[in-house]
Amino acid sequence: MTDTAFSVSGDRPRAVAVAFGALLTALAAGAAEGLLRAVRGGGEFGATAAGLLPRLAIYLVVAAVALYMVRGSRVARALLTVGIGVVGLISLIIEPLAVLLSTDDFAALFRGLAPSSTVLVSVRAVHILAVAVAIPAMYTPAAHRWFTQR
């Protein structure tokens, strides 16, 4: 099946499956980042694990909403667009952007970067890219027709 066509029986367009996969990737990257930050924090893991609970709760809600979206819910698509595509993406970008804007020497940001920081930057990049794939995929012409016909 192509991304631009779907059968009358309501088969899910490929773009919706791509969006769902990208959302799961974003969730996995976010969970990995949270765990890495907790372990890297230097403190006792039990103390930092409590900080992971709100994040885990948010990710479970996002996963549930993504399941509704992949089944054709327009409301779920809208919630994901605002929650992940706007609020979530801003929260992912604001910290690195603040760091970039606060320096005069960009090379200094990367000199002597610890391996754990390199991993965190990579996981954050995967998270951002996954969101950047998921949200537009939900609004391709085929996906839009599929959602509006449900």
Side-chain angles (χ1 to χ4, degrees), residues 2-127:
T2 66
D3 185 46
T4 57
F6 58 95
S7 73
V8 178
S9 67
D11 289 339
R12 180 182 309 123
R14 186 173 177 201
V16 175
V18 167
F20 184 70
L23 287 167
L24 293 181
T25 301
L27 288 172
E33 182 180 353
L35 288 171
L36 288 169
R37 286 185 183 275
V39 169
R40 184 176 178 224
E44 183 180 314
F45 184 75
T48 56
L52 292 175
L53 291 178
R55 182 178 264 202
L56 176 62
I58 291 168
Y59 289 170
L60 288 173
V61 168
V62 170
V65 173
L67 284 170
Y68 279 105
M69 180 277 300
V70 80
R71 292 183 177 129
S73 170
R74 288 179 296 214
V75 172
R77 179 175 71 154
L79 287 171
L80 290 167
T81 300
V82 173
I84 301 302
V86 178
V87 176
L89 200 53
I90 288 171
S91 74
L92 290 171
I93 293 172
I94 195 111
E95 179 188 356
L97 188 59
V99 170
L100 286 173
L101 293 175
S102 68
T103 187
D104 292 330
D105 184 8
F106 293 112
L109 293 174
F110 301 102
R111 270 194 304 269
L113 195 62
S116 62
S117 295
T118 303
V119 171
L120 279 170
V121 167
S122 300
V123 170
R124 173 72 61 99
V126 167
H127 195 161

